[in-house]
Amino acid sequence: MRHVTLPGCWGALVLACLSFTPSLLPRGGLIQGVISGITAAIGYGLGVLIAFVWRAFADRGPRAPRRWAWRVFLIAAVVLLAVAIGFGQYWQYEIRKLMGVTDYNIPLAIASPFIAALTFGALLLTGRALRRVYRWAARLLRRWIGPRAAKGVGWILVAGVAYAVVTGLLLDGFVGLANAAFSLRDTKTPEGVHQPTTSARSGGQGSIVPWDSLGWQGRSFTGTGPSTADIAKFVHHPAEEPIRAYAGLASADNAESRAALAVNDLQREGGFQRKNLLVVTTTGSGWVDPSSVDTFEYLSGGDSATVAIQYSYLPSWLSYLVDQSKAKEAGRALFDAVYEDWSKLPPNKRPRLFVAGESLGSFGGEAAFSGEYDLRNRTAGTLFVGPPNFNTLFREFSDHREKGSPEIQPIYKGGRTVRFTNNPGSEIPPEDRPWEGSRALYLMHPSDPIVWWSPRLILNEPEWISQHPGKDVLKSMFWIPFATFWQITADLPFSTEVPAGHGHKYTAEYVDGWNAVMRPAGITSQTLDHLREIIASGG
């Protein structure tokens, strides 16, 4: 026990136990072990810090703990960890049952404590290496300044260097390598996707956007989708061929020029002569959720056009961290370019103008609008799905919701324009108030960590936990300062690794979402059931 401190061990024990409390998503043994190890390391550091502050106020140096103190700790550790792991397994079982998750690796669950111990040990050794660097720096500085100043400056230097290494060399280096790797992938074409022969798609016959410049996601977007025959079979009458316009990172030098190019190709294809026009802000590497656009095209009977542009090579989860400004720039540039041409058309010749975005795409999609009236006046409808908690308009609408309405399904201004739902297949609140004119709908799962993650979780209990939880969130979930923030943070990388309808995985919900926003004629409940089956099957 000579190489660890008792206060640090108590801190590690407390936070390790808290890491087993329920979060939003289910976890396997490997992930739980890593999370528990990181949490324990953070707890160890906090325990050491608290003890240091306490000694400073008491004006005394560190004392060796008595032998019985270690015995008490070891007994408490065995009991508390056994209880925490037991409750953790029970909570994980309940979460898996809520979401219909059947995968469960028993060997990894058994190995979880050992994985946690290895992770904790590695982080503890890293911390001690930094401490040795600090002591070396302090000794060196004592040659020129006093002992107290040397200690203070030494800590500042070590903290600064560590921050620079993590955020500079490691993070920037990782992002650079990821950017290079995914830019190479962007030159390839997904399996089963072929260059369109039709003139209704960018990269196809007569298109001013070269097929090779569209990128991996752009080629997937323009090279797939329901055919005219598919749509005609669904609507039971002849259908038009949907138009899809797209510009990739290699298509033009910046967001504004890519937007102009995509809109020019949209004009060439006759997109402004269609009845329905959809502007999509992509996520991450230029991905457009096929469930959203396919649904839009089916419900419009093919009389539609969709336009999007790429703003990053990085996948969605990494773009979420480093490309927020690019998403905002792309969303604003594309909508402004479309709106400029759209607004010049005679009012009776304009298509209905819709806007959509999922995740970081909703953040970019919001960027073109100043508020509720702007959404109402410049669009026929918007559908934002899985909005990140930092979205400007989302926060404005949610924070100023009507008193008594829950955070997971807020009511803003009587629902006159903007509404929220986690189940668009049911009545969207407030059911007793009119929803006329342009409709703006936010679709979000109660278990989606992208929606609920916020730094405010560190010290402030959110209302979505204290209020009645959503249908796929455990009623036993509770807020703990700092711990809940870390738990939700740990959920973020795995937000789509759950069945459809949970976490950040949206598929068939688009059917009811777009039906509510578009209000197409002649759609029955049986028609919607059929379309849900089509979208859920990926066809």
Side-chain angles (χ1 to χ4, degrees):
M1 297 296 183
R2 293 185 307 168
H3 303 294
V4 291
T5 69
L6 186 59
C9 288
W10 275 110
L13 174 62
V14 171
L15 261 69
C17 290
L18 292 179
S19 72
F20 291 97
T21 55
S23 188
L24 292 175
L25 303 178
R27 294 175 183 154
L30 175 61
I31 301 304
Q32 182 61 61
V34 172
I35 290 170
S36 296
I38 295 173
T39 306
I42 294 171
Y44 186 89
L46 289 174
V48 171
L49 177 63
I50 292 170
F52 173 80
V53 173
W54 176 264
R55 289 196 302 271
F57 277 100
D59 194 22
R60 66 173 178 82
R63 298 175 183 173
R66 298 176 183 177
R67 188 181 296 269
W68 60 264
W70 279 113
R71 291 199 188 101
V72 170
F73 170 77
L74 291 174
I75 294 171
V78 171
V79 174
L80 291 178
L81 283 174
V83 172
I85 292 172
F87 273 104
Q89 290 299 312
Y90 169 74
W91 284 321
Q92 288 298 312
Y93 166 77
E94 290 293 310
I95 296 174
R96 291 196 302 272
K97 188 167 66 172
L98 275 178
M99 297 188 179
V101 176
T102 56
D103 292 340
Y104 180 64
N105 192 309
I106 295 177
L108 278 179
I110 295 172
S112 180
F114 302 99
I115 297 171
L118 288 172
T119 305
F120 172 76
L123 292 174
L124 189 61
L125 289 174
T126 301
R128 289 185 169 176
L130 289 174
R131 187 177 63 182
R132 290 193 185 97
V133 173
Y134 148 71
R135 288 175 175 172
W136 171 82
R139 284 196 302 269
L140 188 65
L141 289 168
R142 285 194 195 105
R143 299 178 182 178
W144 300 282
I145 58 179
R148 290 184 179 179
K151 289 181 179 180
V153 174
W155 271 122
I156 293 172
L157 284 175
V158 171
V161 170
Y163 178 81
V165 169
V166 172
T167 61
L169 291 176
L170 295 182
L171 182 59
D172 291 348
F174 173 72
V175 171
L177 287 173
N179 206 52
F182 285 103
S183 65
L184 181 61
R185 177 180 182 260
D186 213 50
T187 62
K188 302 177 182 178
T189 303
E191 186 177 353
V193 174
H194 303 284
Q195 183 175 1
T197 56
T198 174
S199 62
R201 304 292 179 98
S202 290
Q205 184 178 0
S207 172
I208 61 174
V209 184
W211 170 254
D212 291 342
S213 75
L214 292 177
W216 174 280
Q217 299 293 358
R219 286 190 283 275
S220 178
F221 171 63
T222 63
T224 60
S227 66
T228 307
D230 293 331
I231 298 173
K233 183 179 179 181
F234 171 74
V235 297
H236 304 295
H237 61 71
E240 294 190 62
E241 183 178 15
I243 293 172
R244 294 190 177 190
Y246 192 96
L249 279 174
S251 302
D253 293 333
N254 53 58
E256 187 174 338
S257 57
R258 284 191 292 273
L261 181 63
V263 171
N264 287 339
D265 210 32
L266 184 71
Q267 282 275 27
R268 176 199 62 81
E269 297 167 1
F272 287 93
Q273 282 70 58
R274 293 302 176 92
K275 185 177 180 180
N276 304 282
L277 175 57
L278 174 61
V279 181
V280 177
T281 303
T282 63
T283 65
S285 56
W287 181 70
V288 179
D289 193 335
S291 298
S292 177
V293 178
D294 291 359
T295 298
F296 186 83
E297 292 172 346
Y298 274 112
L299 290 177
S300 63
D303 193 3
S304 67
T306 303
V307 59
I309 62 173
Q310 181 185 15
Y311 57 83
S312 173
Y313 290 124
L314 302 176
S316 184
W317 67 272
L318 194 49
S319 291
Y320 180 79
L321 298 175
V322 300
D323 278 344
Q324 293 179 20
S325 61
K326 291 182 181 179
K328 181 185 289 188
E329 180 187 18
R332 183 180 291 127
L334 181 58
F335 182 82
D336 288 349
V338 171
Y339 189 79
E340 182 179 9
D341 285 3
W342 178 89
S343 61
K344 293 175 182 177
L345 298 171
N348 61 342
K349 297 287 187 180
R350 295 171 181 168
R352 295 199 300 164
L353 182 58
F354 296 92
V355 174
E358 178 180 331
S359 191
L360 198 55
S362 72
F363 174 73
E366 281 189 358
F369 305 95
S370 60
E372 177 202 19
Y373 280 109
D374 204 17
L375 286 168
R376 185 182 187 91
N377 293 333
R378 294 207 291 162
T379 73
T382 56
L383 180 60
F384 292 135
V385 177
N389 198 266
F390 55 72
N391 276 21
T392 304
L393 296 186
F394 172 68
R395 281 266 48 92
E396 177 186 334
F397 300 147
S398 182
D399 290 345
H400 294 90
R401 63 188 180 275
E402 291 185 7
K403 187 177 180 180
S405 65
E407 190 173 8
I408 63 168
Q409 205 160 244
I411 296 174
Y412 178 77
K413 302 288 187 181
R416 61 190 183 188
T417 301
V418 180
R419 297 199 178 188
F420 298 79
T421 184
N422 47 63
N423 182 17
S426 61
E427 291 292 333
I428 299 174
E431 302 91 334
D432 58 342
R433 302 185 205 179
W435 196 14
E436 299 170 346
S438 175
R439 294 184 172 188
L441 180 62
Y442 283 87
L443 171 58
M444 52 206 195
H445 294 147
S447 59
D448 187 347
I450 299 292
V451 176
W452 308 118
W453 181 89
S454 167
R456 290 176 294 179
L457 285 169
I458 297 174
L459 297 176
N460 297 286
E461 181 178 7
E463 293 188 21
W464 59 268
I465 288 183
S466 60
Q467 295 168 342
H468 185 74
K471 60 185 173 91
D472 58 352
V473 175
L474 282 184
K475 292 181 175 60
S476 53
M477 185 176 177
F478 52 93
W479 176 76
I480 306 168
F482 180 78
T484 299
F485 166 78
W486 168 236
Q487 290 279 60
I488 304 300
T489 302
D491 284 336
L492 291 174
F494 313 102
S495 59
T496 59
E497 304 299 317
V498 290
H502 305 284
H504 197 60
K505 198 165 186 177
Y506 301 86
T507 51
E509 297 96 326
Y510 276 110
V511 174
D512 295 293
W514 273 124
N515 183 57
V517 171
M518 296 174 68
R519 290 166 284 177
I523 298 296
T524 65
S525 58
Q526 290 79 13
T527 306
L528 293 176
D529 288 341
H530 182 207
L531 186 53
R532 286 190 208 100
E533 293 175 1
I534 294 173
I535 299 302
S537 65

